[in-house]
Amino acid sequence: MAPAVLAQIKPRNQAQQQQPRQQDPQSQSQKPLLNKPLFKPKEPRIQDRRPPSEVMLEKKHWTFKRRFFQNLATRYNYYFHARVKLDKVVKTVNRDGQDNYNVLLPFYPTSLQSQGFSKTELDSVIEKTNMAIQLHDPRGKWIDDCFLLMGRAYFYEGDLENANKTFQYINLTFAPKKKDEYKTVVGASENDHISIATREKRKGILGRFKHVSARNDAFLWRAKTLLEQKEYDEVQALLNILSTDPYFPARLDGGLAEVRAYSNYIQGRYPETIEPLKVAIDKSRDRVARARMHFILGQLYLQQHHADSAMDKFRDVIASRPDPMMDFQARLQIAKINAKKEGGLARSQEGLRHMLKKERFSRFRDAILYTMGTLAYPADAEAALGYLQKSLKAGGDNMVQRTLTYKAIADIYYDQRQYLDAKKYYDSTAGTMTPDFVDAATVNVRKTVLADVAAKRAVIQREDSLQRIAAMPESDRNIFLAKMAATLKTAAAEKKKNDAMQGANSYDNPAFGMNNNGAYSPKEEKGDWYFYNPASKSTGYSEFKRRWGSRQVADNWRRSQAGNLHVANNNDAPVQMSTDGATAAATPENLPPDSITGERLAQGLPLTPEKLANSHKLDQDARFELGKLYYDKLENYPLAIETYDSLLLKYPDHPRKPEILYSLYVWHGKLNHAADVARLKDIILKQYGNTNYADIIRSGGNRDTDLARKKTISATYDSAYTAFRNGDVAGALAIKHRADSTYGVNFMQGRFDLLEAMAIVKQDTLIGVDSTQASRKAVLAVMNKYPGDEGIHQQTQALLDALDHRNELVNYLAKLEIRKDNNGGPLLDENISMKYPWQNPQPVLVDRINGAKTPAALADSAHVSNQIAGNVPTAPIATVAPPPPPKPITPYKLSADNPHFVVLAFQRVSKELMDEGLNQFTRYNASKHATDKIEVGSFVLSPSETMLIFRIFANEDKALNYFDEIREEAAVSIIPRIRPADYSFFVISRDNFILLNSTKDLIGYRKFFSDNYVTQ
């Protein structure tokens, strides 16, 4: 280009550069383009959150290589380890010889009720199988096996709902279907039979090594699950289909027969159990299970009185080489069968003595001696008691056997009417038996009632002895009393001598021997035991004296002097009998033994008309109440009849003779004694035709014509019902029993009996009775006693409905929420844990918006709480205003043999710390007291008073021992985060706890505890 042209262009460019930028519209439009990024940003990817199994299912190519590695990984990485762990859990959690072989064994050695399964281990099985299912291709052949293991783990955990759903999922998802079918259809018609099973192709030599589907096994496991859920009809339908299913595999025929036998067994259809059980035994390949089924079949044959067949089955048990306990029990059963044959008892006893000498049966010495005792009774009761006592001394770690021995001794004493001894052994039975013990209900009733029975019998024997001595001629009486005084002096001297000998040995233990003078002298022993070390003994004695002071050697030494005085003044204490039938009551109180004379003893005899009349009245009342106890509490009708017959024989003009005759009329009717019923009916109608008892016999109703009497009875009922509504169950029962003894059978007897049944229901709720058997029995007794009273029938039916749906009602209440009102006032402290061990709270529903109580919530809560507690309202009987129930002066009483609780009471501790304490004490009991089965639960006494309850201890001493232990350990190692000033411990009996829950007087009970127990 020419220079002239360049010259012309340059000025123009300079001119353009001199122009301002904002005047160039083109540059303005191109400015945003300069700010754009050089590269286009990547769009965010959507994360695929589906499990790997779903992603793998989209891959259409299911090649041999892929199938091989998927199956290999599923089987050996997950399924194998989960199966080994599950089998180990099931094998280790068996009853291990703790079965009661004297009754029908549980069908399986493990049960959901045993609660021995490790939930952690079972959760691990569920987790492993779930990982296998989620991580591997669902078309693998081991996926259904993983689902089966998962369902079994749920089953053993007791989660029956999830177990049932898992087995049902296997049956639906893994059912065979053709490739062109859209969905699976379960069930088809094959050869005129319904088929739901999966065909297994296992023909030929290689067929036996092929993998089989777990779907057919899932049918049987679902049937077991439904049996635990008591869906018996559904199980029966399923088993009927499988038994005729042409595709159901032959390898599971034994399992099918076993489930059918189990279904009949748990329903109590024992004759129908025998045939399928025989099939299950023939098909079973499990030696342990086969031995157990042999034993059960032998028991069933014995029940059906086929002794020879039973003998064969017990021999099959021995041939199966079971565990040592079952082998031993089978031999015992054979000995029992032989003992029933003519002349077989001596041979059986001799065989058992021979077993005692064998070393391999040394661990079963207690069971052998127990069997010898049961075989000897009732022919030789003394020998039987000797064998049973030796059984207890033989020891052994089988607590079931120990429980059986305690109960056998108690039953013998009970049959012999030695009720004090019987009560002691029933208490021991209750302390060692498990909740599923067969005779638990009988044991609990007898150990409670026999104390009252023994007291009444002691009164009868005492008054009878005193009256018999008083009726002697004066000269004979003086000679008899002089001999008795000499006997008492001799006994006192012997006791004083023995006490002196024991006092010479301050330690009194087996490590001490006898010196030449006959006194105990310590031996020089060496070893690590405490009593072998004199320094340790001296230190322990000094520490005990420093802490507890000088305490006399006596039972219940933990009580303070006030407590001992209280017990000494208790009028209900049993009277001690002398060896020849006279009683210590004839001896003046606190009389020195040296001053006992015949004249002093004569002071206690009923020698005046007034004293004799009082003695007769005590005797009459004791016999009358004893008959009621036999009938109402022990349900021993023959003994009740015998007691009232002897009462009328000794006192033919008894003031309550019409009621006694009517009671005999009812009791003979219970035993179907038609002749006695007709005789008593005739006597009542002819001689006492104007009484209520005659009205009851004639028309089923009774009447009271005295208006003042009716008002008094109505006021008494109102007092009892008011006490019941206020939570004083014990007071209501006391008023009812006083009314029975004062008014007899009256026009409101049905209402009184209904109130007593309601009190029993509420009492069971308060003390934490898990079973509703006692409550149902009391309610049914009232319903059957008054079939024509529509009001009583409706209310008893409502109570039965509440008891039948108790679990649903409890769950309903537990799910209600506690809130605060708008003013900020707490309806219930939110920091208080609402975990009740024996009863549920009665919470208040509050509107979330305005804080007002909703009417529906109030109605539901009141209705449900009344149903559970037994507060079924009754129509008012009379318009007379009831007097307020009298407040007891001393509501709490000492009772060493009553079950006890240990209580940890908090002062305003947060919910987190309280829950932490609950967990820490649970762990502590599991490690230190695993065999004692101490339960811990939180309890809300009032909105400001919460506590932990440790239950249940058989008596006062065991509770106090545990009290000492945890009181020292709590602040150091169990709950160190909670300040000792924020909590306190005390011990309380079950009866006192019921009173405490009614009165809410925690301060009053703490004073009672400090006054009556030594706690330092």
Side-chain angles (χ1 to χ4, degrees):
M1 184 178 292
V5 176
L6 292 175
Q8 292 177 1
I9 293 174
K10 184 176 181 180
R12 187 176 61 184
N13 291 339
Q14 291 176 353
Q16 291 176 350
Q17 291 177 356
Q18 291 176 358
Q19 292 179 357
R21 283 179 171 269
Q22 61 270 20
Q23 295 179 3
D24 189 358
Q26 185 177 2
S27 63
Q28 285 288 335
S29 62
Q30 292 178 354
K31 183 177 180 181
L33 298 177
L34 299 176
N35 295 330
K36 289 184 178 181
L38 297 177
F39 301 99
K40 184 177 181 181
K42 294 183 179 179
E43 296 181 359
R45 296 180 59 185
I46 298 176
Q47 186 176 2
D48 191 353
R49 295 182 178 271
R50 294 179 299 169
S53 58
E54 293 187 16
V55 177
M56 293 180 185
L57 192 60
E58 294 180 352
K59 298 181 179 181
K60 298 182 180 180
H61 299 290
W62 183 237
T63 61
F64 173 79
K65 180 180 178 182
R66 181 175 182 77
R67 181 165 60 246
F68 174 79
F69 283 106
Q70 284 290 315
N71 290 333
L72 188 68
T74 307
R75 180 180 183 182
Y76 291 107
N77 286 357
Y78 296 97
Y79 171 77
F80 174 78
H81 296 287
R83 189 193 65 185
V84 169
K85 178 167 288 189
L86 181 61
D87 292 343
K88 181 180 178 181
V89 171
V90 175
K91 185 177 180 180
T92 55
V93 188
N94 54 31
R95 303 179 76 90
D96 193 20
Q98 296 296 317
D99 285 309
N100 182 359
Y101 286 87
N102 295 283
V103 297
L104 290 175
L105 290 184
F107 197 88
Y108 293 107
T110 57
S111 63
L112 302 182
Q113 290 75 22
S114 65
Q115 299 178 354
F117 292 101
S118 172
K119 191 175 186 302
T120 304
E121 296 293 325
L122 293 174
D123 286 341
S124 176
V125 173
I126 295 173
E127 182 180 356
K128 285 181 180 296
T129 54
N130 187 46
M131 290 176 63
I133 294 167
Q134 297 292 332
L135 296 177
H136 296 97
D137 198 305
R139 291 169 289 189
K141 62 182 180 181
W142 293 96
I143 299 298
D144 55 346
D145 296 88
C146 292
F147 273 112
L148 184 66
L149 283 182
M150 181 188 296
R152 290 177 59 194
Y154 279 130
F155 176 84
Y156 289 123
E157 271 191 354
D159 190 353
L160 299 178
E161 183 177 357
N162 278 331
N164 186 28
K165 289 180 179 179
T166 304
F167 298 135
Q168 199 169 17
Y169 177 81
I170 297 173
N171 297 334
L172 294 175
T173 305
F174 297 96
K177 67 177 181 179
K178 298 179 181 179
K179 294 182 179 180
D180 56 349
E181 289 179 345
Y182 175 71
K183 62 180 180 180
T184 304
V185 178
V186 178
S189 179
E190 296 288 341
N191 301 327
D192 297 330
H193 291 290
I194 299 177
S195 175
I196 61 174
T198 301
R199 176 184 291 181
E200 295 182 359
K201 300 179 180 180
R202 306 188 69 190
K203 295 182 180 180
I205 298 176
L206 297 178
R208 296 184 177 274
F209 300 97
K210 289 184 178 180
H211 176 266
V212 294
S213 173
R215 182 170 176 269
N216 293 324
D217 300 81
F219 282 119
L220 299 182
W221 277 102
R222 182 164 183 259
K224 290 182 182 180
T225 306
L226 292 173
L227 286 175
E228 297 295 338
Q229 294 177 318
K230 295 180 172 53
E231 299 289 344
Y232 301 126
D233 294 337
E234 188 173 354
V235 172
Q236 188 65 34
L238 178 59
L239 296 180
N240 290 340
I241 294 175
L242 294 177
S243 61
T244 58
D245 194 325
Y247 291 156
F248 192 74
R251 67 178 180 87
L252 294 178
D253 286 344
L256 180 62
E258 179 183 323
V259 175
R260 188 180 294 278
Y262 179 49
S263 176
N264 294 329
Y265 192 73
I266 63 175
Q267 295 181 65
R269 296 170 4 198
Y270 301 123
E272 302 175 28
T273 307
I274 294 176
E275 290 303 322
L277 189 57
K278 291 164 65 177
V279 176
I281 292 173
D282 293 337
K283 300 284 186 179
S284 177
R285 297 181 180 179
D286 188 341
R287 180 178 58 84
V288 177
R290 190 167 61 251
R292 189 178 189 85
M293 288 189 286
H294 273 305
F295 198 98
I296 293 174
L297 188 54
Q299 290 181 315
L300 294 178
Y301 277 134
L302 276 181
Q303 190 184 64
Q304 301 301 317
H305 306 290
H306 301 315
D308 294 336
S309 298
M311 182 93 68
D312 293 338
K313 287 302 164 185
F314 290 128
R315 286 171 178 158
D316 289 339
V317 173
I318 298 173
S320 299
R321 292 179 299 171
D323 62 86
M325 173 59 76
M326 185 170 289
D327 178 274
F328 168 71
Q329 292 293 340
R331 297 176 188 274
L332 290 187
Q333 294 294 336
I334 293 174
K336 291 179 181 180
I337 296 174
N338 287 328
K340 295 179 180 179
K341 298 179 181 179
E342 184 177 356
L345 178 58
R347 291 195 301 271
S348 295
Q349 294 284 40
E350 186 60 32
L352 292 172
R353 290 190 189 94
H354 184 66
M355 291 174 63
L356 283 173
K357 300 176 182 178
K358 291 189 176 182
E359 181 65 26
R360 65 191 181 107
F361 295 129
S362 60
R363 58 175 291 201
F364 305 124
R365 287 179 55 84
D366 53 347
I368 297 174
L369 291 166
Y370 166 80
T371 305
M372 295 175 70
T374 55
L375 292 179
Y377 187 78
D380 190 347
E382 185 177 354
L385 286 173
Y387 287 130
L388 293 172
Q389 294 289 357
K390 290 179 181 178
S391 175
L392 291 178
K393 293 178 181 179
D397 56 354
N398 191 338
M399 295 308 295
V400 173
Q401 180 57 60
R402 197 166 188 82
T403 303
L404 292 173
T405 307
Y406 278 135
K407 184 180 180 298
I409 298 175
D411 289 342
I412 293 176
Y413 282 131
Y414 179 80
D415 294 340
Q416 295 178 343
R417 303 184 186 180
Q418 299 181 29
Y419 294 118
L420 281 178
D421 292 330
K423 181 187 182 301
K424 294 176 182 177
Y425 282 97
Y426 280 128
D427 286 340
S428 300
T429 306
T432 57
M433 69 182 182
T434 55
D436 58 349
F437 186 66
V438 177
D439 296 323
T442 302
V443 171
N444 289 328
V445 170
R446 289 185 178 179
K447 79 182 184 67
T448 305
V449 177
L450 286 182
D452 296 334
V453 172
K456 303 303 179 188
R457 286 179 59 85
V459 172
I460 294 171
Q461 293 175 4
R462 180 190 66 198
E463 300 305 325
D464 185 67
S465 299
L466 295 178
Q467 293 168 19
R468 187 174 65 253
I469 297 173
M472 291 180 179
E474 184 176 0
S475 59
D476 295 342
R477 183 172 62 242
N478 292 336
I479 295 173
F480 179 83
L481 293 178
K483 291 181 179 179
M484 181 184 293
T487 303
L488 292 175
K489 287 181 179 179
T490 303
E494 290 292 334
K495 183 176 183 300
K496 184 176 181 180
K497 181 180 179 181
N498 292 335
D499 291 343
M501 293 174 63
Q502 292 180 3
N505 174 18
S506 60
Y507 299 105
D508 190 18
N509 66 78
F512 301 129
M514 298 284 293
N515 59 17
N516 296 331
N517 298 327
Y520 284 103
S521 61
K523 293 181 179 180
E524 293 297 329
E525 299 285 355
K526 296 181 179 180
D528 296 332
W529 190 36
Y530 171 86
F531 288 105
Y532 288 163
N533 190 331
S536 298
K537 288 187 293 187
S538 176
T539 304
Y541 177 77
S542 301
E543 175 64 21
F544 180 89
K545 189 173 181 179
R546 181 194 64 78
R547 182 173 181 180
W548 301 105
S550 297
R551 310 294 299 179
Q552 299 233 347
V553 179
D555 293 336
N556 303 320
W557 63 272
R558 290 291 303 276
R559 293 181 184 171
S560 65
Q561 296 302 321
N564 288 333
L565 290 175
H566 177 84
V567 175
N569 294 331
N570 188 357
N571 295 328
D572 294 334
V575 181
Q576 295 181 354
M577 303 295 297
S578 63
T579 57
D580 53 2
T583 65
T587 304
E589 293 288 341
N590 302 323
L591 190 65
D594 295 338
S595 62
I596 296 177
T597 62
E599 291 77 8
R600 293 288 185 94
L601 293 177
Q603 295 177 4
L605 296 176
L607 298 176
T608 63
E610 294 79 9
K611 289 184 178 181
L612 184 60
N614 184 59
S615 176
H616 283 309
K617 186 177 185 306
L618 291 174
D619 188 22
Q620 289 175 356
D621 293 344
R623 292 176 186 268
F624 181 83
E625 293 170 4
L626 184 61
K628 292 291 186 185
L629 285 174
Y630 285 145
Y631 177 79
D632 294 334
K633 302 297 184 181
L634 298 179
E635 297 183 359
N636 192 331
Y637 304 151
L639 200 53
I641 292 173
E642 178 186 333
T643 303
Y644 273 12
D645 284 341
S646 63
L647 175 59
L648 291 179
L649 182 63
K650 186 174 182 180
Y651 303 102
D653 297 326
H654 195 284
R656 302 177 71 170
K657 186 175 181 179
E659 183 177 356
I660 296 172
L661 290 172
Y662 178 75
S663 298
L664 289 172
Y665 165 80
V666 174
W667 299 347
H668 279 294
K670 290 281 188 181
L671 298 177
N672 298 320
H673 297 164
D676 292 310
V677 169
R679 176 178 59 83
L680 292 165
K681 178 180 179 181
D682 186 63
I683 293 174
I684 295 172
L685 294 179
K686 287 183 179 180
Q687 299 181 15
Y688 307 97
N690 60 345
T691 62
N692 284 325
Y693 309 104
D695 291 339
I696 294 173
I697 294 176
R698 280 192 292 262
S699 60
N702 52 354
R703 56 187 171 84
D704 272 302
T705 57
D706 189 349
L707 183 60
R709 174 184 165 89
K710 291 180 68 174
K711 289 184 177 180
T712 305
I713 295 173
S714 298
T716 304
Y717 173 79
D718 290 342
S719 299
Y721 188 71
T722 301
F724 173 78
R725 291 297 301 269
N726 292 336
D728 186 9
V729 181
L733 287 174
I735 296 173
K736 191 268 178 185
H737 293 155
R738 285 200 300 269
D740 288 344
S741 60
T742 303
Y743 308 115
V745 179
N746 55 79
F747 79 105
M748 294 190 66
Q749 192 63 45
R751 296 290 185 267
F752 275 114
D753 291 342
L754 177 61
L755 180 63
E756 183 177 22
M758 292 160 57
I760 292 174
V761 174
K762 192 167 186 177
Q763 214 169 31
D764 286 351
T765 306
L766 290 174
I767 64 178
V769 176
D770 297 331
S771 174
T772 60
Q773 182 179 1
S775 301
R776 287 183 58 85
K777 185 176 180 180
V779 176
L780 285 172
V782 177
M783 177 183 286
N784 296 331
K785 188 175 181 180
Y786 305 98
D789 193 322
E790 185 62 28
I792 291 180
H793 179 77
Q794 291 179 358
Q795 295 182 29
T796 51
Q797 187 61 51
L799 280 173
L800 289 176
D801 292 340
L803 293 173
D804 291 337
H805 299 85
R806 181 169 179 168
N807 292 334
E808 292 86 342
L809 296 173
V810 169
N811 293 334
Y812 170 81
L813 287 178
K815 293 178 181 178
L816 296 181
E817 297 182 359
I818 311 301
R819 300 294 180 188
K820 290 185 177 181
D821 56 22
N822 287 339
N823 297 327
L827 295 174
L828 196 64
D829 193 344
E830 289 180 341
N831 290 329
I832 295 176
S833 173
M834 295 302 299
K835 298 177 181 177
Y836 280 59
W838 311 297
Q839 68 180 101
N840 280 284
Q842 300 178 7
V844 180
L845 281 177
V846 177
D847 193 294
R848 298 174 183 269
I849 300 176
N850 51 25
K853 300 178 182 178
T854 61
L858 291 175
D860 288 345
S861 178
H863 174 70
V864 174
S865 61
N866 285 334
Q867 290 288 332
I868 288 182
N871 295 334
V872 181
T874 59
I877 305 301
T879 59
V880 180
K887 186 176 181 180
I889 300 175
T890 306
Y892 305 111
K893 296 181 180 180
L894 291 169
S895 179
D897 294 332
N898 195 257
H900 278 66
F901 308 144
V902 177
V903 179
L904 169 60
F906 292 103
Q907 284 91 29
R908 305 298 300 178
V909 175
S910 66
K911 178 180 181 299
E912 290 76 14
L913 288 178
M914 185 173 179
D915 289 343
E916 179 183 343
L918 178 66
N919 295 331
Q920 292 293 337
F921 277 109
T922 301
R923 294 191 188 96
Y924 177 81
N925 291 332
S927 61
K928 301 288 187 179
H929 298 276
T931 59
D932 297 335
K933 298 182 179 178
I934 300 174
E935 299 179 5
V936 188
S938 56
F939 187 82
V940 179
L941 184 66
S942 68
S944 60
E945 295 168 332
T946 59
M947 54 187 66
L948 293 182
I949 311 293
F950 304 85
R951 62 188 293 262
I952 189 168
F953 300 90
N955 53 46
E956 179 185 272
D957 290 337
K958 292 183 179 179
L960 285 169
N961 292 336
Y962 184 78
F963 166 84
D964 287 337
E965 177 184 337
I966 63 171
R967 186 180 56 171
E968 297 178 356
E969 294 288 339
V972 178
S973 59
I974 304 178
I975 48 174
R977 293 184 57 195
I978 305 178
R979 296 180 302 173
D982 291 339
Y983 62 85
S984 62
F985 286 97
F986 60 84
V987 175
I988 186 169
S989 67
R990 182 169 61 187
D991 294 341
N992 287 338
F993 184 82
I994 295 173
L995 288 174
L996 175 63
N997 188 53
S998 300
T999 62
K1000 312 297 183 186
D1001 184 17
L1002 185 58
I1003 297 176
Y1005 181 78
R1006 280 176 171 161
K1007 184 178 184 305
F1008 171 82
F1009 179 73
S1010 62
D1011 291 342
N1012 291 276
Y1013 291 90
V1014 179
T1015 57
Q1016 175 56 36

